[in-house]
Amino acid sequence: MKFPIQAIYGWYRNALRHPKYRWWIVCGSLLYLLSPIDISPDVFPVVGEIDDIALVAILAAEVSQIAVETLKQRRMGASTTTSKDQVAQKTVEVDAVSVKE
């Protein structure tokens, strides 16, 4: 069984990667950061900010990774749309010969 924090992180990451729930998770995370209700209240000097800092770090890392992957896919999509001449230049023609023993 996974440690509870690892399970929560896995759920959070998978939910962010799902296009249907992505913006709901981002908005919910931002709402949590702005909300006075916390897992560890911010009235405690250091402990109160640890959950906020962790959430911001995970959110920034995951959103930036999603953005990089999206840009890579767009560039790959743009580079794969080639003309018929370029496709013909990449095609290799081979004459098949049967071999009898």
Side-chain angles (χ1 to χ4, degrees):
M1 184 172 175
K2 288 185 177 182
F3 190 66
I5 293 175
Q6 291 174 338
I8 291 170
Y9 173 70
W11 172 84
Y12 187 80
R13 185 175 185 198
N14 290 337
L16 267 175
R17 294 191 175 275
H18 195 285
K20 184 177 179 181
Y21 304 118
R22 180 175 300 148
W23 292 112
W24 286 105
I25 298 297
V26 170
C27 291
S29 299
L30 294 175
L31 185 65
Y32 175 80
L33 290 172
L34 298 174
S35 172
I37 301 170
D38 262 345
I39 291 174
S40 59
D42 293 336
V43 295
F44 301 115
V46 176
V47 179
E49 291 147 5
I50 288 177
D51 65 330
D52 294 337
I53 292 170
L55 183 66
V56 168
I58 293 169
L59 181 65
E62 293 299 323
V63 169
S64 65
Q65 188 174 12
I66 291 169
V68 167
E69 289 174 0
T70 303
L71 287 173
K72 282 182 182 179
Q73 288 177 354
R74 285 186 183 173
R75 286 186 182 166
M76 293 286 286
S79 66
T80 56
T81 52
T82 57
S83 67
K84 290 182 180 179
D85 295 333
Q86 290 175 339
V87 172
Q89 290 175 355
K90 293 180 183 179
T91 305
V92 177
E93 293 184 27
V94 178
D95 293 328
V97 180
S98 62
V99 178
K100 294 183 181 179
E101 291 184 24

